[in-house]
């Protein structure tokens, strides 16, 4: 064999070896990932030939499969959704264009291919029974979800709200507005219209596809003062009666001065103000001074204890992915002071601020949030059931009690959040009005929990570019969501 032929033979064999390795990698190691890829249209086509398990809230199916075949022979299953857009940010949608939300996160259980359903699947093969996906039961409370959804819809607001059971971490409500009706993009009989609708949603500047409750970060404004107060009590031995300088305008060695809530505003006539009163009326300058005294690392560490600053790859999943919130350590006084009042580089999701409120409500113990309560097989046997799990001990029980007492002042006479009060019941709260650095108006916040003496629900509400205050815009929605729990 001459040299050119030998080289060609070796090259050809090398190509075959590479081809075999590639096929082995795809079929042996990448098969499941490719099958589950939401861009796999063949996967979507297979979904249409078999029923998919329902997604349930309070025992009612809010997402289910229905045979829409017109010829009466080959089944053609289409996903149907109830509640308009109220549940879409959580349930997500199964469509020819994408799979999102719980539909994606729990896909293998819903379509019946999960290994935990192997025994059932084998039994169905033996008996000739048609396969069915498992039913996924969510933690959402319909009354809480509806109260939040109606508040945004009726007010014409954009933003989000989250309600948690502080003792377990169960997500009772997760509203993102604007939203969309999943049925508009789920049609299998008119795919062109469904795709066109989805593309229109993608191009909508109001971003109805964005789950603001879990995946949008906002400056939390004065609601972050709860974290600053927690750090002061835990690290500086502060008490609600401890005082801090509270000038009408706080001057820094560099950078612009920090005013109080309104130009010329005052907290205590310019005199030192107590921590309790600073929380009650939401004083900027005193809380900035607390942050400067403790230092940037201490403030950041306290935020981390509540759930901020997750390591890369360690962000929460509930099981939906949650964007990590940020409160990095600052060193320059001008930046650190503003971080202490929830501005500067501090950014939080509504879920994160609900975790702050829930941690205070639960004696300083932050529970890990979750939205899937249980998964049942088609025979109603339990496949999985979520057990409450501690996320962190953010503060001591005594610190949590001090924070709770101060937050009760916020919704009482003279507080900044009286619109969050529930008649006949003590409610703990904190308002926030966050500057956005633009000309679109402030973000308006309220976090809180009720009843203050035996908390059943913790909430966080943010209204984008409301231009008002957290006490006037966000607090009424938070109150309605809390009332849905405590007045049942």
């Amino acid at each position: 064999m001459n040299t050119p032929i030998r080289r060609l033979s070796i090259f050809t064999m090398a190509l075959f070896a590479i081809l075999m390795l590639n096929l082995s990698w795809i079929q042996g190691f990448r098969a499941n990932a490719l099958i589950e890829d939401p861009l796999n249209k063949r996967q979507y086509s297979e979904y249409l030939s078999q029923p998919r398990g329902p997604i349930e809230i309070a025992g009612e199916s809010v997402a289910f499969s229905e045979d829409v075949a017109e010829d009466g022979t080959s089944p053609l299953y289409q996903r149907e959704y109830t509640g308009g857009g109220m549940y879409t940010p959580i349930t997500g949608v199964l469509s020819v264009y994408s799979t999102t939300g719980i539909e994606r996160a729990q896909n293998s259980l819903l379509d019946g291919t999960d290994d935990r359903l192997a025994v059932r699947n084998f039994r169905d093969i033996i008996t000739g029974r048609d396969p069915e996906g498992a039913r996924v039961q969510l933690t959402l409370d319909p009354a809480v979800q509806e109260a939040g959804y109606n508040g945004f819809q009726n007010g014409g607001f954009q933003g989000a709200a989250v309600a948690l059971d502080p003792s377990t971490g169960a997500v009772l409500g997760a509203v993102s507005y604007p939203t969309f009706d999943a049925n508009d993009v789920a049609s299998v009989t008119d795919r062109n219209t469904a795709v066109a609708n989805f593309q229109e949603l993608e191009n909508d500047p109001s971003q109805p596809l964005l789950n603001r409750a879990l995946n949008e970060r906002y400056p939390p404004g004065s609601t972050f003062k709860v974290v600053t107060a927690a750090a002061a009590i835990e690290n500086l031995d502060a008490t609600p009666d401890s005082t801090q300088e509270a000038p009408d305008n706080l001057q820094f060695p560099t950078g612009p001065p920090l005013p109080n809530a309104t130009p010329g505003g005052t907290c205590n006539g310019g005199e030192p103000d107590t921590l309790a009163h600073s929380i009650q009326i939401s004083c900027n300058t005193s809380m900035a001074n607390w942050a400067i005294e403790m230092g940037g690392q201490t403030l950041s560490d306290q935020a981390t204890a509540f759930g901020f600053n997750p390591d890369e790859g360690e962000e929460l999943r509930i099981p939906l992915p949650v964007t990590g919130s940020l409160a990095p350590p600052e060193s320059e006084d001008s930046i650190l002071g503003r971080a202490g009042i929830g501005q500067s580089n501090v950014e939080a999701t509504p879920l994160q601020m609900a975790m702050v409120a829930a941690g205070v409500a639960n004696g300083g113990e932050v529970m890990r949030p979750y939205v899937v309560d249980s998964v049942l097989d088609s025979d109603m046997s339990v496949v999985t059931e979520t057990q409450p799990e501690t996320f962190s001990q953010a503060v001591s029980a005594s610190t949590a009690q001090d924070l709770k007492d101060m937050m009760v002042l916020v919704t009482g006479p003279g507080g900044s959040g009286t619109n969050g009060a529930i008649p006949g019941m003590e409610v703990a709260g904190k308002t926030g009005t966050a500057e956005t650095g633009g000309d679109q108006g402030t973000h308006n916040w309220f976090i809180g929990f009720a009843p203050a003496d035996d908390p059943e629900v913790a909430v966080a509400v943010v209204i984008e570019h409301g231009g008002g205050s957290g006490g006037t815009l966000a607090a009424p929605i938070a109150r309605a969501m809390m009332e849905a729990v405590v007045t049942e």
Side-chain angles (χ1 to χ4, degrees):
M1 181 182 296
N2 60 35
T3 300
I5 294 176
R6 184 169 58 253
R7 289 175 177 172
L8 179 61
S9 299
I10 293 172
F11 179 71
T12 303
M13 286 188 291
L15 289 179
F16 271 109
I18 293 171
L19 178 62
M20 293 301 295
L21 286 172
N22 186 54
L23 286 174
S24 298
W25 170 252
I26 291 174
Q27 295 182 358
F29 299 97
R30 291 282 295 154
N32 288 337
L34 292 173
I35 290 172
E36 296 292 337
D37 193 315
L39 298 178
N40 184 351
K41 298 299 189 292
R42 184 172 181 179
Q43 173 200 41
Y44 177 74
S45 297
E46 290 179 357
Y47 288 159
L48 306 183
S49 64
Q50 56 191 20
R52 187 173 172 85
I55 300 173
E56 298 181 340
I57 295 175
E60 298 292 330
S61 294
V62 295
F64 53 92
S65 295
E66 187 168 305
D67 189 354
V68 295
E70 298 179 353
D71 58 11
T73 55
S74 301
L76 181 64
Y77 289 101
Q78 175 175 290
R79 243 2 204 175
E80 302 284 348
Y81 299 90
T82 66
M86 186 164 63
Y87 298 117
T88 304
I90 296 298
T91 63
V93 60
L94 175 72
S95 74
V96 68
Y97 212 76
S98 72
T99 306
T100 61
I102 290 296
E103 293 279 24
R104 180 175 183 179
Q106 301 284 274
N107 178 62
S108 63
L109 287 162
L110 289 166
D111 71 11
T113 61
D114 194 280
D115 289 343
R116 287 166 288 186
L117 304 176
V119 174
R120 192 286 312 274
N121 290 339
F122 179 74
R123 185 180 66 236
D124 288 348
I125 292 173
I126 297 299
T127 61
R129 179 180 174 182
D130 291 335
E132 294 180 48
R135 57 185 64 226
V136 175
Q137 300 184 316
L138 305 185
T139 59
L140 298 182
D141 182 323
V144 176
Q145 188 77 3
E146 185 175 6
Y149 181 81
N150 287 345
F152 279 93
Q153 186 179 56
N154 295 339
F157 302 130
Q158 289 190 183
V162 175
L164 300 175
D165 181 334
S167 65
T168 66
V171 178
L172 303 179
V175 176
S176 179
Y177 200 89
T179 181
F180 65 100
D181 189 334
N183 294 301
D184 292 341
V185 298
S187 175
V188 299
T189 56
D190 189 358
R191 297 191 193 187
N192 290 337
T193 298
V195 169
N197 288 342
F198 198 98
Q199 292 173 334
E200 183 177 346
L201 291 168
E202 280 190 312
N203 295 326
D204 190 329
S206 68
Q207 297 181 283
L209 296 176
L210 173 64
N211 188 334
R212 289 166 161 83
L214 308 182
N215 303 126
E216 182 72 328
R217 291 191 296 232
Y218 305 88
S222 293
T223 59
F224 191 76
K225 291 173 183 175
V226 173
V227 177
T228 304
I233 297 171
E234 290 275 294
N235 296 280
L236 300 177
D237 294 325
T239 70
D241 294 325
S242 298
T243 60
Q244 191 65 257
E245 293 294 323
D248 294 345
N249 287 278
L250 181 59
Q251 304 292 329
F252 301 104
T254 60
L258 174 66
N260 280 310
T262 57
T266 188
C267 295
N268 192 33
E271 297 298 315
D273 199 20
T274 66
L275 184 59
H277 189 249
S278 294
I279 292 294
Q280 179 183 10
I281 65 170
S282 203
C283 181
N284 285 346
T285 57
S286 61
M287 296 308 298
N289 274 327
W290 280 115
I292 293 169
E293 181 176 343
M294 73 183 69
Q297 189 62 58
T298 297
L299 180 61
S300 179
D301 288 346
Q302 182 62 75
T304 299
F306 276 107
F308 285 76
N309 307 317
D311 293 333
E312 186 175 353
E314 297 297 321
E315 293 86 357
L316 280 173
R317 297 189 72 88
I318 66 170
L320 303 178
V322 178
T323 301
S325 297
L326 305 175
E330 307 289 359
S331 56
E332 184 180 331
D333 283 358
S334 175
I335 299 175
L336 175 54
R338 286 175 166 82
I341 64 169
Q343 298 282 175
S344 182
N345 297 311
V346 180
E347 296 182 331
T349 63
L351 174 64
Q352 175 60 74
M353 294 314 298
M355 290 171 65
V356 171
V360 176
N362 198 41
E365 182 181 12
V366 181
M367 303 303 290
R368 186 175 297 277
Y370 63 97
V371 75
V372 175
D373 181 54
S374 59
V375 178
L376 303 181
D377 207 338
S378 56
D379 62 3
M380 303 304 288
S381 61
V382 177
V383 179
T384 67
E385 188 170 21
T386 304
Q387 299 300 319
E389 177 185 351
T390 299
F391 175 81
S392 68
Q393 185 71 40
V395 295
S396 67
S398 62
T399 296
Q401 184 62 51
D402 285 342
L403 294 171
K404 183 185 299 184
D405 292 342
M406 293 188 289
M407 291 173 70
V408 167
L409 299 176
V410 172
T411 63
S416 62
T418 55
N419 286 324
I422 298 174
M425 179 182 299
E426 280 195 337
V427 175
K430 183 67 193 82
T431 58
T433 303
E435 300 291 337
T436 61
D439 57 2
Q440 295 180 293
T442 55
H443 294 326
N444 308 124
W445 284 86
F446 184 90
I447 66 172
F449 53 89
D453 59 348
D454 186 19
E456 298 176 33
V457 57
V459 298
V461 177
V462 60
I463 293 174
E464 296 178 3
H465 306 298
S469 70
T472 57
L473 298 180
I477 296 177
R479 181 188 66 231
M481 296 177 75
M482 291 187 289
E483 285 180 323
V485 175
V486 301
T487 60
E488 285 183 344

